Amino acid sequence: VPVEDLMKPIEGLADTAMGPAEAKVTIVEYASMTCGHCAAFHKDVYPELKKNYIDTGKAKFILREFPLDPLATAAFMLARELGEKRDAVVDLLFSQQKNWAFSDKPLDGLANVLKQAGLGQEKFEAVLKDQTLYENVNKGRNHAAEKFGVNSTPTFFINGDKYTGEMSVADLDQIIAAKSAAKPSN
């Protein structure tokens, strides 16, 4: 996928990038909040990715929404509502996924988890009724499917190359090392 196409955010849905803009390696992850593989990545691999590459300036990371179901769409909408806390809320939702996504009353579970992030019930309900945000999240999902062939989560693009499924720290180390050493194409 051409990197310049991949880096264009969806109108109305700003990217939240972690790491320096000028990093040699750019990782874009398409994830679903209700995907167990995505939760495992964020619990087991992402902390090492952040420590070894993002925090050291070697990589830039962007998480984009690719909800697999309406509950995942709702979770992303709510995370976006928390602005600068979005990434922390995404981490919280992935770490608590079993307590809301796979419960008998998932919306109640989601509301309870988000209370920890300071989102009250009134705001929770208002965000879920935000049709524009709902449409933008789904527009981003559809764009990824149509333009980049994303059809499962997690899907990663590392400097434009597509990788699907769970990745280990060792997988990322190997790919990032190769991308860091590669000369940019002109």
Side-chain angles (χ1 to χ4, degrees), residues 109-124:
L110 188 55
N112 286 334
V113 171
L114 290 174
K115 280 180 191 163
Q116 296 174 47
L119 190 71
Q121 190 64 31
E122 192 174 307
K123 188 67 171 172
F124 178 89

Side-chain angles (χ1 to χ4, degrees), residues 30-31 35 38 66 68 141 149-156 162 164-165:
Y30 284 93
C35 168
C38 296
F66 196 84
L68 296 175
R141 180 196 192 286
V150 176
N151 61 11
S152 63
T153 59
T155 294
F156 300 90
K162 182 177 172 184
T164 57

Side-chain angles (χ1 to χ4, degrees), residues 23-28 41 45 49 52-53 58-61 154-183:
K24 280 187 154 185
V25 176
T26 298
I27 303 165
V28 177
F41 172 80
V45 179
L49 172 68
N52 296 336
Y53 298 103
K58 295 175 184 170
K60 176 172 66 173
F61 180 83
T155 294
F156 300 90
F157 288 90
I158 304 176
N159 285 7
D161 293 336
K162 182 177 172 184
Y163 302 87
T164 57
E166 283 190 57
M167 297 189 91
S168 68
V169 172
D171 294 335
L172 280 171
D173 286 345
Q174 186 176 4
I175 294 165
I176 291 171
K179 300 290 181 189
S180 295
K183 302 232 183 301

Side-chain angles (χ1 to χ4, degrees), residues 17-53:
M18 297 186 74
E22 67 282 354
K24 280 187 154 185
V25 176
T26 298
I27 303 165
V28 177
E29 177 193 9
Y30 284 93
S32 180
M33 292 304 306
T34 54
C35 168
H37 299 290
C38 296
F41 172 80
H42 279 268
K43 177 182 169 279
D44 300 329
V45 179
Y46 180 75
E48 290 296 312
L49 172 68
K50 184 171 180 342
K51 181 177 83 176
N52 296 336
Y53 298 103

Side-chain angles (χ1 to χ4, degrees), residues 3 12 28 71 73 97 101-102 133 161-162:
V3 175
V28 177
L71 185 58
T73 303
Q97 188 184 66
F102 305 112
L133 181 55
D161 293 336
K162 182 177 172 184

Side-chain angles (χ1 to χ4, degrees), residues 89-151:
V89 169
V90 165
D91 291 342
L92 175 67
L93 289 172
F94 276 133
S95 73
Q96 297 289 314
Q97 188 184 66
K98 68 182 182 320
N99 296 327
W100 62 273
F102 305 112
S103 68
D104 291 338
K105 295 184 178 181
L107 281 179
D108 290 348
L110 188 55
N112 286 334
V113 171
L114 290 174
K115 280 180 191 163
Q116 296 174 47
L119 190 71
Q121 190 64 31
E122 192 174 307
K123 188 67 171 172
F124 178 89
E125 290 173 15
V127 171
L128 294 182
K129 293 176 184 168
D130 184 340
Q131 192 63 31
T132 301
L133 181 55
Y134 174 83
E135 289 169 4
N136 285 340
V137 169
N138 283 302
K139 183 170 38 170
R141 180 196 192 286
N142 295 338
H143 180 79
E146 293 163 13
K147 296 285 186 199
F148 309 134
V150 176
N151 61 11

